[in-house]
Amino acid sequence: MAMRLPIDFYFDFSSPYSYIASEWIGAVAARHGRTVRWHAILLGAANQVTGLQPPVNFPLKRDYLYRDVQRSAAFAGVPIRMPDPFPIPTQNAARVFWWLHEADPQRAVAWARAGLRAYFTRNVNLSDVPALKALVHETGLDADAAEAAWNDPAWKARLKAANEAAIATGVFGAPYVVVDGEPFWGNDRQAQIEAWLASGPPRGLE
Amino acid sequence: MAMRLPIDFYFDFSSPYSYIASEWIGAVAARHGRTVRWHAILLGAANQVTGLQPPVNFPLKRDYLYRDVQRSAAFAGVPIRMPDPFPIPTQNAARVFWWLHEADPQRAVAWARAGLRAYFTRNVNLSDVPALKALVHETGLDADAAEAAWNDPAWKARLKAANEAAIATGVFGAPYVVVDGEPFWGNDRQAQIEAWLASGPPRGLE
């Protein structure tokens, strides 16, 4: 059997579709003997490069997004409560991710899942320093050490490098999943990802 | 049994995801005892109101779209060959749709399917007058009458009214499907549409 490469999963802590996908990506990968490499990124940084704007900047699209997020979560069996404020800056949460990642990627994944769930089910504002420190503490980490990390130029640089690497890979939105070089954008590509993992490219695709 | 309302299907002749959806919307509706009301619109007109831009304006998103369209078509079992030029202005094809629609909506649907298939499988440029007239003739219609229609202020006004009605309904992209007041944007909402038609709202959706 050929070696099975890890799946790459790019997410932003303020992306509701990333949150929904974060709840299934691990199980989908495991069903096909794969592991997942998680990448915390800032969509805002990608947008600065691509010129794209978040959907919430457009009223009709924003209204649709609120409805579609809740419906898509319900179809996926994932609890959600759209937070307010939304969206929020997530660089501190993302720097904590990369800080943890250095020592143990699995702890970083646990933090990612905790952060996404806190924001999208309990309205924990990850851009608010006291709220973020309380959440860090709640997940069993040292809140002061985490705060020192997100203020540390080294971890700022690590997140910046992650953003640049993501953009170089072609990431312009989130969630963004790469399977053996094949890119899939959006929570709504779950069925295609699963089919690809099971059987490779669909018949007729060049 | 409650009366089953028609499904509304909004499409643009230059939208590849509209083309893919046009190949399944009728069958999906029929499986659930529904009919489909087709609406030819111009995404460009919607974009002028919403401020949105087509994905092809953004290089990373354009590259992804070309790949995703071909993969999504293959997964749907729909033949596709991305046309060049792409995208194109489609007001003449859309005016022919509304001209035919006045007398017989089913003839308009047949024209819509012929136009989408011609552009997305045979590279027939619907914005080129001789090519469009040849296609009209090929589908058994009077090409000179069609040309007169697309130059007629009455049919220009009819398309404008259709665009305005679509925007008033919340349509900001295509394909856009409305089932009993519930909006679904994108070819990738097929599974949700089918589930909604079969069982109504998913558990947990307010």
Side-chain angles (χ1 to χ4, degrees):
Chain A
M1 181 179 289
M3 194 177 75
R4 290 171 170 166
L5 294 171
I7 294 169
D8 287 296
F9 176 72
Y10 298 84
F11 71 98
D12 181 313
F13 277 97
S14 188
S15 156
Y17 296 113
S18 291
Y19 160 61
I20 301 170
S22 76
E23 293 283 331
W24 55 255
I25 189 68
V28 166
R31 276 200 285 278
H32 299 281
R34 306 276 193 139
T35 56
V36 181
R37 282 192 299 231
W38 292 51
H39 305 257
I41 60 164
L42 301 182
L43 279 181
N47 288 344
Q48 282 182 3
V49 174
T50 60
L52 288 159
Q53 291 186 54
V56 296
N57 286 13
F58 306 95
L60 282 187
K61 208 167 181 182
R62 179 187 171 97
D63 290 350
Y64 178 79
L65 178 138
Y66 269 77
R67 180 64 179 172
D68 184 64
V69 160
Q70 295 184 66
R71 188 177 61 220
S72 295
F75 270 115
V78 171
I80 198 164
R81 187 177 133 214
M82 278 299 283
D84 181 20
F86 167 79
I88 53 170
T90 56
Q91 65 271 26
N92 289 346
R95 288 173 193 149
V96 171
F97 175 91
W98 289 110
W99 168 63
L100 294 170
H101 191 274
E102 190 78 0
D104 180 356
Q106 286 315 305
R107 285 187 74 184
V109 170
W111 165 247
R113 298 197 61 178
L116 287 160
R117 281 188 176 170
Y119 183 48
F120 286 107
T121 67
R122 294 190 283 130
N123 203 24
V124 174
N125 183 346
L126 307 181
S127 70
D128 177 72
V129 167
L132 185 59
K133 288 184 72 173
L135 181 67
V136 168
H137 178 73
E138 185 187 312
T139 61
L141 300 167
D142 181 330
D144 290 329
E147 184 178 30
W150 76 58
N151 286 320
D152 184 333
W155 300 112
K156 293 181 181 182
R158 180 67 187 85
L159 174 58
K160 191 161 181 284
N163 284 331
E164 287 167 359
I167 293 164
T169 298
V171 177
F172 59 85
Y176 196 95
V177 175
V178 182
V179 179
D180 300 339
E182 184 74 13
F184 297 88
W185 169 46
N187 172 64
D188 40 34
R189 289 298 177 275
Q190 180 183 356
Q192 289 194 12
I193 291 168
E194 185 116 36
W196 192 284
L197 286 167
S199 317
R203 190 185 173 88
L205 185 67
E206 288 165 17
Chain B
M1 183 179 284
M3 193 178 73
R4 290 171 170 165
L5 295 172
I7 294 169
D8 287 297
F9 175 72
Y10 298 84
F11 71 98
D12 182 313
F13 277 96
S14 187
S15 155
Y17 296 113
S18 291
Y19 160 61
I20 301 171
S22 76
E23 294 284 330
W24 55 254
I25 188 69
V28 166
R31 277 200 284 279
H32 300 280
R34 305 277 193 138
T35 56
V36 182
R37 282 192 300 229
W38 291 52
H39 306 256
I41 60 164
L42 301 182
L43 280 181
N47 289 343
Q48 282 182 3
V49 174
T50 60
L52 288 159
Q53 290 185 56
V56 295
N57 286 12
F58 306 95
L60 282 186
K61 208 168 179 179
R62 179 188 171 96
D63 291 349
Y64 177 80
L65 177 137
Y66 270 77
R67 180 65 179 171
D68 184 64
V69 160
Q70 295 185 67
R71 188 176 61 218
S72 295
F75 270 116
V78 171
I80 199 164
R81 186 177 134 213
M82 277 298 284
D84 179 20
F86 167 79
I88 53 170
T90 56
Q91 65 272 24
N92 289 346
R95 288 174 194 149
V96 171
F97 175 91
W98 290 110
W99 168 63
L100 294 170
H101 191 274
E102 189 78 0
D104 181 357
Q106 286 314 304
R107 287 188 73 183
V109 170
W111 164 247
R113 298 196 61 180
L116 287 161
R117 280 188 176 171
Y119 182 48
F120 286 107
T121 66
R122 295 190 283 133
N123 203 25
V124 174
N125 182 345
L126 307 181
S127 71
D128 176 72
V129 167
L132 185 60
K133 287 184 74 173
L135 181 68
V136 168
H137 178 73
E138 184 187 312
T139 61
L141 300 167
D142 181 329
D144 290 329
E147 185 178 30
W150 76 59
N151 286 319
D152 184 333
W155 300 112
K156 293 181 180 182
R158 179 68 187 87
L159 174 58
K160 190 160 181 284
N163 284 331
E164 286 167 359
I167 293 163
T169 298
V171 177
F172 59 86
Y176 195 95
V177 176
V178 182
V179 179
D180 301 339
E182 185 74 13
F184 298 88
W185 170 46
N187 172 65
D188 41 32
R189 289 297 177 276
Q190 179 182 358
Q192 289 193 13
I193 290 168
E194 185 115 34
W196 192 284
L197 286 167
S199 317
R203 189 183 173 89
L205 185 68
E206 286 164 18

